[in-house]
Amino acid sequence: MKTSEAFKKTIREYLEQRAKEDQLFAASYAKENKNIDECCNFILGEVQKSGCNGFSDEEIFGMAVHYYDEDDIKNVKPVNARVVVNHTIELTEEDKRKAKEAALKEYEAKEMKRIEEARKKKLEKKAERVAKQEVAPLLFDFEG
């Protein structure tokens, strides 16, 4: 199975940041015989071998670093697995304002539709009541 792009991106971003901050790791990360696809497959293989279903970010990132540090990890085969990546999303004030406006517009539209449906239903009931009422003959309706 091909590793999800979100998983691969998360691992790559961590490794690139680590390489910027750690010169020793930067040398490992630059190895020509290592690549992000094989790294992700290594991680998935290690997770599968463990039998566990959940890992902390530190554990997964540790496996990624281990893959790049160890020269004897080679020819890692793809693993059939599904990965879920948790992300925390930080919204800007502008994003929050836009989201609030969109939510208010959606709420307003739903309420207007609900009110219109209630009004329409009330008119239909009134029309039914009027239609059911027997109308008394008017004085001018008599023929003489």
Side-chain angles (χ1 to χ4, degrees):
M1 173 180 205
K2 185 178 177 185
T3 303
S4 76
E5 288 304 313
F7 181 68
K8 193 186 306 187
K9 180 179 181 235
T10 301
I11 299 299
R12 182 184 303 112
E13 286 174 355
Y14 171 82
L15 294 171
E16 287 173 357
Q17 185 61 38
R18 172 108 183 220
K20 287 178 187 174
E21 297 168 359
D22 180 347
Q23 289 182 342
L24 291 175
F25 178 70
S28 294
Y29 189 57
K31 292 177 183 174
E32 288 188 23
N33 63 330
K34 302 285 184 168
N35 64 69
I36 193 67
D37 290 317
E38 193 173 75
C39 175
C40 291
N41 287 329
F42 171 75
I43 294 167
L44 295 176
E46 294 299 299
V47 167
Q48 193 173 49
K49 284 186 230 175
S50 77
C52 296
N53 291 325
F55 290 84
S56 69
D57 290 351
E58 291 79 23
E59 290 172 302
I60 297 299
F61 294 142
M63 290 179 207
V65 170
H66 179 71
Y67 164 80
Y68 280 95
D69 282 341
E70 299 299 321
D71 290 326
D72 60 335
I73 300 173
K74 303 175 193 174
N75 303 319
V76 179
K77 303 293 180 225
V79 175
N80 188 10
R82 186 169 155 239
V83 178
V84 176
V85 179
N86 295 326
H87 289 280
T88 302
I89 299 173
E90 295 291 327
L91 296 176
T92 65
E93 290 304 315
E94 178 69 11
D95 291 337
K96 290 177 187 177
R97 185 188 61 73
K98 286 180 181 178
K100 185 176 181 179
E101 284 177 9
L104 285 172
K105 283 181 183 178
E106 182 181 345
Y107 175 75
E108 187 178 79
K110 284 181 181 179
E111 282 300 300
M112 291 301 291
K113 184 177 179 182
R114 184 187 64 77
I115 291 168
E116 183 60 32
E117 287 173 357
R119 188 181 72 75
K120 187 176 177 182
K121 200 171 193 179
K122 188 176 181 180
L123 288 173
E124 287 171 356
K125 283 184 180 182
K126 185 176 181 179
E128 286 176 17
R129 277 196 317 269
V130 168
K132 287 181 182 178
Q133 290 177 351
E134 290 194 29
V135 179
L138 298 173
L139 181 60
F140 301 108
D141 286 343
F142 293 111
E143 292 182 21

